[in-house]
């Protein structure tokens, strides 16, 4: 049977997940995680294959997609930058039209968001963003799943993101807003989240009973935070800016001093990999408040939920 569909859903950006989709994925992910704990694999993708395109390195994303596909009864094929030369050795269009003939799902970690968008456009099977320069929606789903496990309903939950207004920040703002959270972001001048993501987060938060706010001062930003989230100051592809950014971002370091300005009991979150001693200190990352490895664990479960959801949504 051909895997090509007349209608399919992609996860190109967090905006592709409306509130119903977020709820459905979270519910499914939590259920499958519990099932796995009791020893059961659920073969919802038996006999299906996932293509995993990676233009950048990965620990968590690669492992969790591959293990997730195995646990769902399917199979994953890793395609590194050296293998396929997406857009160089072969056009995105032609790569997409090949993959759809053999695979059932594609996930892609890219530099340009346009590469994920192009694959989604040309490949008639679901395409999942595994991190682009603009977004990391799989991470954001694992993050809200982790918070859901810790505190239950997230409506009105105060989440503060400190640091670079990057891919992690964008996806988190949008998903958080759609869950009715109060999302606050604090970044140095010139490194604020993109205007489109901020507009969408503000509109979605208002619609779902939460809020979105930008606050320059990191101490003021964490004042009412129930979770403080940070990420690297220089993302993959920005390594040449690392030194300059380190100076500029220093006041935004998530340190014991900054956490002292947050309410007692606030969680500490990070998508990892962390640059210890830069955006976050060892003391904070390794503190009892840190839930970073729970976030990492939930990448597996959230992505299983995403893959099953997109597979079942095709026609
Ligand atoms: N958080 C995350 O996506 O990790 P990797 O870059 O190791 O996949
Ligand atoms: N912002 C980081 C996230 C890594 C998971 C990066 O893009 O490198």
């Amino acid at each position: 049977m051909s895997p090509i569909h007349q209608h399919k859903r992609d996860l190109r950006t967090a905006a592709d997940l409306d509130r119903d989709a977020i709820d459905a994925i979270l519910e499914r992910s939590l259920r499958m995680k519990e099932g796995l704990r009791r020893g059961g694999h659920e073969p919802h993708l038996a006999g299906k294959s996932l293509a995993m395109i990676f233009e950048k390195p990965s620990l968590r994303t690669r492992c969790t997609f591959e293990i997730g596909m195995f646990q769902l009864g399917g199979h994953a094929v890793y395609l590194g930058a050296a293998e396929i030369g997406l857009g160089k050795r072969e056009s995105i269009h032609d790569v997409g039209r090949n993959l759809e003939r053999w695979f059932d799902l594609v996930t892609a970690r890219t530099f340009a968001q346009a590469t994920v968008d192009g694959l989604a456009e040309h490949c008639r099977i679901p395409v999942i963003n595994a991190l682009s320069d603009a977004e990391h929606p799989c991470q954001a789903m694992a993050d809200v799943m982790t918070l859901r496990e810790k505190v239950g309903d997230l409506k009105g939950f105060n989440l503060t993101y400190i640091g670079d207004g990057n891919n992690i920040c964008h996806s988190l703002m949008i998903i958080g807003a759609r869950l009715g959270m109060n999302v606050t972001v604090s970044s140095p001048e010139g490194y604020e989240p993109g205007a489109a993501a901020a507009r969408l987060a503000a509109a979605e938060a208002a619609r779902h009973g939460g809020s979105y706010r930008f606050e320059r001062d990191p101490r003021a930003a964490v004042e009412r935070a129930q979770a403080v989230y940070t990420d690297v100051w220089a993302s993959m592809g920005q390594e040449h800016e690392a030194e300059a950014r380190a100076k500029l971002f220093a006041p935004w370091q998530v340190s014991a001093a900054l956490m002292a300005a947050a309410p007692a009991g606030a969680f500490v979150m990070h998508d990892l990999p962390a640059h210890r001693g830069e955006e976050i200190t060892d003391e904070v990352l390794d503190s009892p408040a840190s839930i970073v490895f729970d976030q990492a664990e939930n990448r597996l479960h959230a992505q299983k939920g995403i893959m099953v959801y997109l597979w079942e949504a095709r026609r």
Side-chain angles (χ1 to χ4, degrees), residues 106-126:
V106 176
T107 189
R109 166 165 289 194
T110 66
F111 287 94
Q113 176 64 34
T115 305
V116 177
D117 295 342
L119 275 170
E121 186 186 340
H122 299 303
C123 199
R124 289 170 288 175
I125 55 176

Side-chain angles (χ1 to χ4, degrees), residues 150-173:
K150 305 281 177 204
V151 302
D153 185 8
L154 295 175
K155 188 161 190 266
F157 184 88
N158 299 333
L159 173 68
T160 295
Y161 177 94
I162 299 284
D164 190 19
N166 61 12
N167 44 11
I168 294 287
C169 180
H170 291 156
S171 297
L172 196 63
M173 283 159 59

Side-chain angles (χ1 to χ4, degrees), residues 131 136 166-168 231-232 235-236 271-272:
L131 179 147
H136 198 0
N166 61 12
N167 44 11
I168 294 287
D231 183 27
V232 292
S235 285
M236 291 181 275
D271 47 284
L272 305 177

Side-chain angles (χ1 to χ4, degrees), residues 17 29 37 74 107 113 139 146 176 208 217 247 257 271 276 287:
L17 298 178
S29 302
R37 204 174 272 151
T107 189
Q113 176 64 34
Q139 178 70 52
T146 307
H208 294 283
D217 176 5
K247 287 197 192 80
D271 47 284
R276 288 169 175 267
S287 71

Side-chain angles (χ1 to χ4, degrees), residues 80-159:
E83 268 104 343
I84 57 174
L86 192 61
K88 297 184 190 82
R89 181 172 180 267
E90 196 161 359
S91 72
I92 294 168
H93 172 274
D94 288 355
V95 171
R97 296 307 292 269
N98 275 265
L99 294 178
E100 69 182 18
R101 299 296 176 117
W102 315 311
F103 289 96
D104 304 285
L105 293 153
V106 176
T107 189
R109 166 165 289 194
T110 66
F111 287 94
Q113 176 64 34
T115 305
V116 177
D117 295 342
L119 275 170
E121 186 186 340
H122 299 303
C123 199
R124 289 170 288 175
I125 55 176
V127 172
I128 301 167
N129 182 342
L131 179 147
S132 65
D133 287 347
E135 289 239 13
H136 198 0
C138 294
Q139 178 70 52
M141 286 302 292
D143 298 336
V144 295
M145 177 180 171
T146 307
L147 289 173
R148 174 76 60 95
E149 287 179 314
K150 305 281 177 204
V151 302
D153 185 8
L154 295 175
K155 188 161 190 266
F157 184 88
N158 299 333
L159 173 68

